[in-house]
Amino acid sequence: MNYQQLYDNILAKRSFLCIGLDPELSKKPEHVRRMEHPAFEFNKAIVDATAPYAVAYKPNSAFYEVFGAQGWHELEMTVSYIRERHP
């Protein structure tokens, strides 16, 4: 997203809301932690619920790095999902 896209999104949604996507799995419900891709599934639910109001999403890579390759994969899945479903 460039500056103009962000500005247009702020005007369209009349919002400055930016959602941080920091998957600290110990704080997630048990049923989420048992999923194959728990960080992605939780992020997906948050993104879908907030898309009408949020103008941007900010995943913090450090929260994904601690999970190694799986974490990087879920970060990539999250970013792809946002770009495809809620650009």
Side-chain angles (χ1 to χ4, degrees):
M1 173 182 297
N2 63 34
Y3 174 80
Q4 188 61 50
Q5 290 169 319
L6 176 60
Y7 182 72
D8 292 344
N9 216 1
I10 289 169
L11 292 178
K13 294 183 179 184
R14 300 176 55 134
S15 171
F16 290 97
L17 181 63
C18 176
I19 305 291
L21 298 172
D22 306 334
E24 192 168 336
L25 295 182
S26 65
K27 295 183 179 180
K28 304 299 183 255
E30 180 63 34
H31 75 278
V32 171
R33 288 183 284 186
R34 285 185 268 132
M35 295 177 168
E36 183 177 0
H37 302 289
F40 169 70
E41 294 296 339
F42 194 79
N43 289 344
K44 182 177 156 187
I46 296 296
V47 169
D48 288 343
T50 60
Y53 317 103
V55 297
Y57 294 92
K58 184 196 168 294
N60 184 337
S61 63
F63 282 87
Y64 298 86
E65 290 172 4
V66 299
F67 300 111
Q70 175 75 17
W72 282 110
H73 180 61
E74 293 192 44
L75 173 58
E76 182 180 4
M77 292 170 66
T78 297
V79 171
S80 293
Y81 183 80
I82 293 167
R83 286 181 175 162
E84 291 169 11
R85 297 290 181 97
H86 306 287

